[in-house]
Amino acid sequence: VFRNAAEETRRKQLQLRKAKGSGRAFLANPAKNTKKYSIDLRVHSPATEGYFSTGGVEPAAALVRLAKAKGIDVLAITDSFSGSMLDEIKKTAEGIKITILPGIELSCRLGYCDDFQIVAIFPESYSGADIERVLDELNVPLELRGRPSYNLKADFDDVLKIIENRG
């Protein structure tokens, strides 16, 4: 998936360069009658250490209300090494026109970089337990879940294989 997206980006960049050279702007005329979506694909909850408190308000309800107030249609809950708040947030969003996507934020090694950040987003049907199973497969210790400072003891390619195998 990641590699396909990178190839698609390169293809579109090439088309953009060609369009600029011909005097036409790439995607200058968007399709008519299309719906525009407001999306936030990197949202943390109290499951991530250092989360800003909602001042006594139920955090799941506060996240969903704030997203709706901002006009967000799709929200990805991508806590650092945790899926513990996902089910509560999804339950709170039931009956509200907002799509909640499950995800996680990870860091691992890539070449000489020991702190390469990954945001993995999974199918809408994933639960908090599904995210926790991914973390189990990545060998994330229970006591370090939710900590953004934790780094996997694995290389990017190994992490990517696990994520891609999980959809």
Side-chain angles (χ1 to χ4, degrees):
V1 172
F2 180 76
R3 290 177 187 95
N4 292 345
E7 181 58 36
E8 180 69 14
T9 298
R10 282 191 289 276
R11 188 181 63 74
K12 286 185 179 183
Q13 287 172 339
L14 180 60
Q15 286 177 333
L16 177 59
R17 283 194 297 274
K18 286 180 181 179
K20 283 184 178 177
S22 68
R24 298 184 1 239
F26 183 67
L27 298 178
N29 298 318
K32 294 180 182 178
N33 301 325
T34 59
K35 178 166 177 13
K36 294 182 181 179
Y37 293 93
S38 179
I39 301 171
D40 192 340
L41 296 178
R42 190 169 176 250
V43 176
H44 294 297
S45 76
T48 296
E49 184 178 80
Y51 175 81
F52 183 71
S53 172
T54 53
V57 177
E58 178 62 38
L63 273 172
V64 172
R65 278 196 305 253
L66 181 60
K68 279 317 285 178
K70 289 184 163 198
I72 294 175
D73 301 297
V74 180
L75 195 66
I77 306 301
T78 57
D79 283 309
S80 297
F81 298 100
S82 179
S84 66
M85 284 287 299
L86 178 62
D87 295 335
E88 186 178 344
I89 293 167
K90 285 175 83 170
K91 184 171 176 45
T92 302
E94 286 176 359
I96 298 172
K97 289 190 173 191
I98 187 168
T99 300
I100 304 295
L101 297 176
I104 46 177
E105 184 177 60
L106 309 166
S107 58
C108 65
R109 291 188 308 251
L110 179 62
Y112 294 105
C113 179
D114 288 334
D115 192 13
F116 184 78
Q117 299 293 308
I118 300 170
V119 175
I121 300 173
F122 297 95
E124 189 178 347
S125 60
Y126 261 50
S127 68
D130 293 320
I131 298 293
E132 295 298 323
R133 280 191 284 279
V134 173
L135 295 170
D136 289 341
E137 197 170 339
L138 290 167
N139 297 314
V140 177
L142 289 174
E143 67 273 10
L144 296 175
R145 294 191 182 181
R147 294 195 182 173
S149 60
Y150 178 69
N151 286 321
L152 293 167
K153 307 298 182 236
D155 289 321
F156 173 76
D157 288 339
D158 299 328
V159 174
L160 184 60
K161 283 178 192 170
I162 291 170
I163 291 169
E164 286 180 337
N165 286 340
R166 290 295 186 149

